[in-house]
Amino acid sequence: MKFQVNRDVLADAVAWTARVLPGRPAVPVLSGLLLEAGDGLRVSAFDYDVSARAEVEADVAEPGRVLIPGKVLAEITRSLPDRPVEFLRSGSEVVLTCGSAEFGLLTMPDGDFPSIPAMPPKVGAVGGGLFATAVGQVASAASRDDTLPMLTGIRIDIDGVQMSMAATDRYRIAARDFLWHPERQDERHAVMVPARVLVEVARSLRGGEVTIGLDDNVAGFESQGRITTVRLLDDQFIDYRSRLTADWAIHAELDVAPFVEAIKRVVLVAERNTAVRLSFSQGRVLIQAGGGDIGRGAEVLEAELDGDDIQIAFQPHFLLDGLAGVETERARLEMDSPTRPALIANAGDDPDFRYLVMSLRLAG
């Protein structure tokens, strides 16, 4: 095997693929990156659950394939000078040359590397920017606790041209609806994708259109020569829609940016995991936190209120996560009582982003 490739193109492809390398591989070959030279260069990684493949242009003199320790290769390619990079396989070693720098890397048995899942059948496509935004809006509500896998995923529901994403950790639910381009108008799917994988996919495929493929066990995401496949989670999920469409007795609306900044300021004097209290009355909201051993903070903002005055409390980071998903200049808060969950949404009559968050019981 012998080929030459642009240094920046190589470093980018290796870094993108290496992100799925397992920290503690089940078998040693899973710590490797598979390089396949043919019409171009393909760089692949796989840990039995998630695979990543990047295809780039390369000047191939002799086709072939080789498995190289992935993290070492990523470190090397990141530090190379800005010169073309040449790979040459010689027996059990791959010689990497870039300018005056030369590395000899021992190969791993590529015959033991598992077959990487193919991209599943295409079900549709969506703009990378819209896809990334939607994932970012819901992913914060997914749990990090692997003891309940269902809660670590993002639910994707497809109904024709409508796609919905949702996630929950039992303390909040985030959901986003948007239009996409299905292969067929009668496409209907409901799958659970691990949130951590979807976040990585969204972050790296922001540039162009994202093609989505699905089969019974695997989801695939492809954009600009890069493909990620992931094993699906069990598709059981709560009936989140019914919880987001209740009738609320109290409605408040206020500017998002000043609200976020005020919350961040007043919690500076609050102890960890203490509540931020919101007291809504006609024309204003009083934001308070603290009162323990450190001190207290308070700030008043303008707010429109439709309904009775209310005082309600939340975990600050839960509240901020919800407000971070709001895309309009103003946010709407829907409430019933201090002891029931509240809904944060984009301003407007039919919001496409909704975030339900549990309130905290106020002392006294």
Side-chain angles (χ1 to χ4, degrees):
M1 183 184 76
K2 183 178 180 181
F3 65 88
Q4 189 178 86
V5 62
N6 176 278
R7 180 262 180 198
D8 290 340
V9 169
L10 175 68
D12 192 39
V14 168
W16 181 82
T17 310
R19 80 197 196 284
V20 308
L21 291 172
R24 296 179 179 177
V27 291
V29 292
L30 296 184
S31 67
L33 289 178
L34 183 66
L35 275 59
E36 298 171 285
D39 294 335
L41 174 65
R42 174 186 288 177
V43 185
S44 306
F46 185 38
D47 71 352
Y48 288 122
D49 288 320
V50 184
S51 78
R53 296 197 300 279
E55 296 183 357
V56 297
E57 293 183 356
D59 183 7
V60 179
E62 297 177 17
R65 58 183 255 158
V66 66
L67 188 65
I68 305 176
K71 292 185 178 178
V72 174
L73 184 60
E75 291 288 343
I76 290 173
T77 54
R78 186 163 48 237
S79 64
L80 291 174
D82 189 15
R83 301 285 298 278
V85 185
E86 184 175 282
F87 282 76
L88 172 64
R89 180 166 188 171
S90 177
S92 62
E93 185 181 68
V94 168
V95 179
L96 184 160
T97 307
C98 182
S100 59
E102 180 180 294
F103 297 88
L105 298 175
L106 293 177
T107 64
M108 305 169 75
D110 59 272
D112 295 341
F113 196 73
S115 298
I116 297 175
M119 177 71 179
K122 180 180 178 181
V123 295
V126 61
L130 174 57
F131 182 79
T133 297
V135 171
Q137 287 174 304
V138 303
S140 62
S143 175
R144 277 70 168 171
D145 184 0
D146 289 330
T147 58
L148 286 172
M150 179 196 79
L151 300 181
T152 65
I154 291 177
R155 167 78 167 218
I156 299 179
D157 288 297
I158 295 169
D159 186 359
V161 298
Q162 183 82 31
M163 178 179 285
S164 302
M165 292 184 181
T168 182
D169 60 4
R170 293 182 296 184
Y171 303 104
R172 61 244 177 100
I173 302 170
R176 169 69 197 267
D177 301 324
F178 55 96
L179 299 177
W180 79 313
H181 305 288
E183 279 292 280
R184 302 188 311 272
Q185 294 297 309
D186 61 349
E187 292 282 1
R188 302 287 185 276
H189 303 277
V191 297
M192 288 290 294
V193 182
R196 62 177 180 80
V197 176
L198 211 51
V199 167
E200 285 292 338
V201 167
R203 184 179 296 133
S204 60
L205 301 184
R206 189 178 281 270
E209 188 175 70
V210 178
T211 295
I212 299 176
L214 293 173
D215 64 19
D216 292 340
N217 300 308
V218 174
F221 305 91
E222 179 178 5
S223 180
Q224 300 176 320
R226 296 181 175 184
I227 299 173
T228 298
T229 67
V230 57
R231 189 186 301 275
L232 296 171
L233 300 171
D234 190 306
D235 63 2
Q236 289 185 349
F237 200 64
I238 62 171
D239 178 15
Y240 68 93
R241 295 184 185 281
S242 64
R243 308 184 190 197
L244 299 174
T245 53
D247 291 326
W248 312 90
I250 303 169
H251 315 271
E253 196 170 297
L254 67 171
D255 292 335
V256 175
F259 191 29
V260 168
E261 292 304 316
I263 293 168
K264 291 179 177 179
R265 276 192 291 269
V266 300
V267 299
L268 292 174
V269 293
E271 296 171 359
R272 187 175 176 81
N273 294 325
T274 12
V276 58
R277 300 181 301 281
L278 307 178
S279 302
F280 287 94
S281 55
Q282 293 302 320
R284 55 173 254 166
V285 58
L286 170 63
I287 307 159
Q288 297 171 285
D293 295 336
I294 301 174
R296 59 183 178 83
E299 188 163 342
V300 176
L301 295 178
E302 292 183 1
E304 295 180 13
L305 181 68
D306 180 9
D308 296 336
D309 293 358
I310 186 174
Q311 185 178 85
I312 192 168
F314 303 98
Q315 286 280 9
H317 71 277
F318 283 3
L319 188 57
L320 291 171
D321 282 348
L323 292 169
V326 174
E327 296 179 281
T328 51
E329 289 186 6
R330 290 173 69 80
R332 199 171 77 213
L333 272 70
E334 311 276 15
M335 299 162 282
D336 267 331
S337 76
T339 58
R340 292 179 59 81
L343 184 78
I344 298 172
N346 292 337
D349 293 333
D350 189 17
D352 52 18
F353 169 71
R354 290 157 295 163
Y355 180 94
L356 187 73
V357 57
M358 287 183 62
S359 60
L360 296 177
R361 188 173 296 276
L362 291 163

